[in-house]
Amino acid sequence: MSEIKSLSRIPTVSLHGSEFYIELDTQDLIARNTCVIKITSHDDGDAFCVDVASHDATDTSVCEIQVTCADHEFSVSCRSQLNAKGKQCLVVSLPDIQIPSLIRVKLVYPNDSIDISDGFSRYQAIDITDEFLRYQLDKTKLNDNVYLTNTLFNASARSFTSDELFIITYAYLNVLPLNNQNFGGLITILCYRITDNLVDRGHILEQVYQTHRRYLDVVCPHDAVAFRWLVSSSSTLVTALLSVGCVTQAEDVLDSALKLIFHPSFNPLVHQNYALLLFQGGLIKSWNGCFDEAASLFIAAVNAGRYGMTDLLHPQNSWILGQLSDCYKFLHIIEAAYRAALACTRNNLPSQTRFSTTKTAPKLHMDYKSIFDRFACFKKNSPPFFEQVLHKLQTRQNGQ
C-alpha cells in the first residue's frame, strides 16, 4: 500500500451547492485506498447535529471525514468523485466541517497522516484552513448588532461574496441562538443565497423552515432590531418556499408571522418586506381559491406600500436619493396588488376600503422581475407557482 508523505500542490477548495469540493492531483488521492479528513474543533459545549449518510461498503472510492472534539470523536461520510473538470475531489458537506468551532484540518491516508496546514506553511507559507477559518464569526460579538450588521447585513460594508455569505449563514444556522435579535437576519441572507441556486440548494429549505418555526416561538417582536428581522426573514422565506412549490409551508410562515407583526411603523426598515409579505399572502390565498381573503391582503399590500413610500419621501430623510429604487419597488408592488385585488373581486372592491373601482378593470399583469428583483431565481423566468397563480387570477377576472 502506497504511503504519501506530502501533497504535490495546494488543493483547490470550491463550493458546489451545499458541498465543498477539495480538488487533489491524481497522485495525491489514490481512489482504491481509504482516506480520512480529520477535523479538530473547539469544545464550546455546542451541540452539532450531523446527519451521517450511509454509503456502499463495496465502493472503495468512498472516503470519510473524521471530526475530533475535545471530548469525543466521530466520523461522517464523504465521497470521492470527479468534478466538472475531471479532477479527483473529496466532497464534503458544508455542515460537517463545523466552521464555527473549527481549529484545523488534516488529511489521513493509510499508514500516514498529513497536517495540511503545517505542510503548506512549511512549503509555501499558506494555510489551507484559511479556506474555512475565514468564515468564522467573532464568537465574542455574536450579540453585537453593529458587528453583525457590518459583517453580514450591510452590503456596502461586508467583504464576502454571495457564496461566502451562504457558507457563513448555513454554518451558523444551528449555532446562533434563536433568541438572538439578529437571528432573523441570518435566515434572510440564507434564503437569498439559496434562491441563487435552487437546483443545488433548494433541499435546505425544509431545514430552514423548521428552524424558522422554532424561531417564531422565541422572537421578541417588541425589540426593534428583532422586529425588523422577523418581518424580513418571514418575507424572504415565503418567497423561497413558493419558488420551490412549497405552498403549504409558505402559508404557515405567512399566517404565523402576521400574528406577530403588530404595526410595521415600529421600525420603518420593515415597510418593503411587510408589503411583500402581504402581497405574497394574496398570491397564496388566490392559489387556494380564497379570493375574498386574497383581496383583503392585496389591499393591505397597497396600503403598506403607500405608507412605505410616505416614510421614504419624508423631508427629513437625508438618504432619499439613495432610496429612490425602493420607491420604484413600492410602485411595482402597489400596481400589481391593486390590479390583483380588482381581479379577485371582479372589479367590485368593497366601498369600505375607500378604493374606487374603475369603469373597466385594467388587464391583469404582474412584473415579477421588478417586484422580486433581489431573488436570482426570477432573473430569467418566474418560478412555476407565480405563473400559475397569475393564470388563476386572470381566469377569475374573466369570470370563468
Side-chain angles (χ1 to χ4, degrees):
M1 187 176 293
S2 175
E3 293 188 11
I4 302 174
K5 296 302 182 183
S6 62
L7 299 178
S8 59
R9 68 178 178 85
I10 301 173
T12 300
V13 180
S14 57
L15 183 71
H16 295 263
S18 60
E19 297 177 315
F20 287 113
Y21 277 46
I22 303 176
E23 178 186 313
L24 301 174
D25 282 344
T26 304
Q27 61 266 33
D28 293 329
L29 180 60
I30 303 175
R32 66 178 181 269
N33 293 332
T34 302
C35 62
V36 174
I37 297 179
K38 190 173 184 179
I39 299 174
T40 306
S41 302
H42 291 287
D43 181 18
D44 296 326
D46 297 324
F48 289 89
C49 298
V50 181
D51 294 327
V52 180
S54 62
H55 61 272
D56 184 357
T58 63
D59 183 0
T60 57
S61 67
V62 172
C63 305
E64 288 185 333
I65 303 173
Q66 190 171 1
V67 182
T68 304
C69 297
D71 55 350
H72 68 287
E73 184 175 293
F74 60 95
S75 296
V76 295
S77 297
C78 83
R79 66 186 186 276
S80 172
Q81 72 175 52
L82 300 179
N83 64 10
K85 298 179 180 179
K87 293 287 187 179
Q88 193 75 44
C89 296
L90 293 179
V91 181
V92 185
S93 176
L94 191 159
D96 292 348
I97 296 296
Q98 299 187 6
I99 287 173
S101 61
L102 183 68
I103 296 175
R104 68 172 64 247
V105 180
K106 289 184 179 180
L107 288 182
V108 180
Y109 291 88
N111 303 323
D112 199 5
S113 173
I114 303 171
D115 186 327
I116 299 178
S117 54
D118 286 347
F120 287 134
S121 61
R122 184 167 65 247
Y123 292 117
Q124 301 185 40
I126 295 177
D127 188 342
I128 191 174
T129 54
D130 284 345
E131 290 286 352
F132 306 111
L133 292 180
R134 63 195 180 98
Y135 304 126
Q136 288 183 340
L137 299 177
D138 186 338
K139 66 176 63 179
T140 67
K141 296 182 178 180
L142 295 182
N143 291 313
D144 186 330
N145 182 52
V146 174
Y147 167 73
L148 289 179
T149 297
N150 290 332
T151 303
L152 299 178
F153 309 135
N154 188 337
S156 62
R158 65 194 181 201
S159 59
F160 297 109
T161 66
S162 294
D163 279 348
E164 290 170 341
L165 285 171
F166 170 75
I167 292 171
I168 296 170
T169 52
Y170 190 26
Y172 279 85
L173 181 64
N174 292 317
V175 174
L176 196 69
L178 292 172
N179 60 0
N180 185 296
Q181 65 178 177
N182 284 288
F183 189 86
L186 198 75
I187 291 182
T188 298
I189 298 296
L190 181 56
C191 287
Y192 279 126
R193 303 291 71 87
I194 289 174
T195 61
D196 288 344
N197 186 354
L198 280 175
V199 174
D200 294 326
R201 297 176 182 170
H203 65 282
I204 299 171
L205 282 172
E206 177 61 25
Q207 180 184 357
V208 179
Y209 163 67
Q210 295 296 340
T211 301
H212 190 266
R213 291 184 65 185
R214 297 193 299 272
Y215 159 69
L216 290 182
D217 289 336
V218 300
V219 65
C220 179
H222 301 287
D223 178 286
V225 174
F227 180 71
R228 171 198 178 183
W229 292 123
L230 158 66
V231 180
S232 177
S233 64
S234 300
S235 178
T236 52
L237 180 55
V238 166
T239 307
L241 288 169
L242 292 178
S243 297
V244 295
C246 296
V247 183
T248 301
Q249 292 92 326
E251 187 172 25
D252 178 49
V253 173
L254 171 84
D255 293 340
S256 300
L258 289 180
K259 291 176 183 177
L260 293 173
I261 300 173
F262 53 91
H263 203 291
S265 63
F266 178 52
N267 186 333
L269 289 174
V270 313
H271 281 304
Q272 186 177 128
N273 278 307
Y274 181 57
L276 276 173
L277 189 63
L278 293 168
F279 174 69
Q280 292 182 103
L283 296 179
I284 292 171
K285 302 302 180 183
S286 298
W287 193 85
N288 288 328
C290 303
F291 292 106
D292 288 340
E293 292 181 61
S296 67
L297 287 166
F298 284 133
I299 292 169
V302 173
N303 284 324
R306 290 171 54 230
Y307 296 146
M309 287 190 67
T310 299
D311 186 71
L312 285 175
L313 296 173
H314 194 281
Q316 291 185 352
N317 184 358
S318 60
W319 292 92
I320 186 170
L321 291 179
Q323 293 179 310
L324 286 178
S325 60
D326 289 335
C327 291
Y328 293 134
K329 172 72 74 61
F330 279 127
L331 287 174
H332 289 303
I333 296 171
I334 291 170
E335 179 184 13
Y338 178 62
R339 288 173 181 261
L342 289 174
C344 285
T345 60
R346 291 174 174 163
N347 198 26
N348 189 24
L349 291 171
S351 59
Q352 292 81 0
T353 65
R354 299 178 66 184
F355 279 85
S356 62
T357 56
T358 59
K359 202 169 195 181
T360 303
K363 185 177 180 181
L364 181 60
H365 172 71
M366 292 185 185
D367 186 358
Y368 286 131
K369 291 182 181 179
S370 296
I371 295 172
F372 299 102
D373 60 330
R374 295 180 182 177
F375 294 87
C377 57
F378 286 86
K379 297 300 183 184
K380 294 182 179 179
N381 298 307
S382 300
F385 166 84
F386 295 90
E387 295 301 326
Q388 292 167 6
V389 75
L390 178 57
H391 177 71
K392 289 191 176 188
L393 285 167
Q394 291 170 336
T395 301
R396 172 72 176 179
Q397 184 179 50
N398 296 332
Q400 299 176 12

